[in-house]
Amino acid sequence: MIEYIHQIKEVHLDFSKINSITDLLNENDKTKNEGDVVFELCKPVFQEEPEVGMQVVITVLTELLGLHEAVMSQAIEEGEATVAANWAMDCRRIDDIITTLKDIQM
């Protein structure tokens, strides 16, 4: 699971096709940056009422919390106390954010 987390952040360039700076620029143009992808995914939500957007944010954070809990559990099983503690701290932070968002009146 921890390896999976690191793979998420990888850039999806096909380096086997890159032999020059021009090739790199061409391949880079083919990839969308993270901000563009996020904006495109959010466009339908922007058309809805604010309550829908808030629920989407809470849902995304809840899924992120589940991922953090799974990685933390795996780190505990693997005897990685420091890693587990770091993930646990982030779990608390994410949970606090979710709780705060749920308290906001729309």
Side-chain angles (χ1 to χ4, degrees):
M1 179 67 85
I2 293 173
E3 182 178 318
Y4 171 74
I5 300 300
H6 295 293
Q7 290 174 357
I8 291 173
K9 294 184 180 180
E10 289 181 9
V11 176
H12 299 287
L13 289 177
D14 185 355
F15 291 102
S16 66
K17 295 180 181 179
I18 298 173
N19 298 310
S20 68
I21 292 175
T22 303
D23 292 342
L24 176 61
L25 293 172
N26 289 336
E27 283 298 310
N28 195 39
D29 286 343
K30 292 178 187 176
T31 63
K32 287 187 173 183
N33 78 35
E34 193 174 283
D36 292 340
V37 172
V38 170
F39 187 79
E40 288 299 316
L41 288 170
C42 291
K43 271 186 178 179
V45 177
F46 298 152
Q47 304 302 315
E48 301 294 331
E49 295 296 319
E51 294 84 0
V52 173
M54 182 67 80
Q55 191 57 51
V56 168
V57 170
I58 290 169
T59 301
V60 169
L61 288 170
T62 301
E63 291 298 314
L64 182 62
L65 177 60
L67 174 69
H68 275 67
E69 289 169 341
V71 174
M72 178 189 67
S73 294
Q74 181 179 353
I76 290 169
E77 290 173 12
E78 294 173 358
E80 300 271 349
T82 303
V83 172
N86 289 333
W87 284 90
M89 191 179 331
D90 286 345
C91 284
R92 182 189 52 78
R93 290 175 179 151
I94 295 168
D95 189 57
D96 288 347
I97 293 167
I98 293 168
T99 301
T100 300
L101 291 174
K102 286 180 176 180
D103 287 341
I104 294 174
Q105 299 296 318
M106 300 299 281

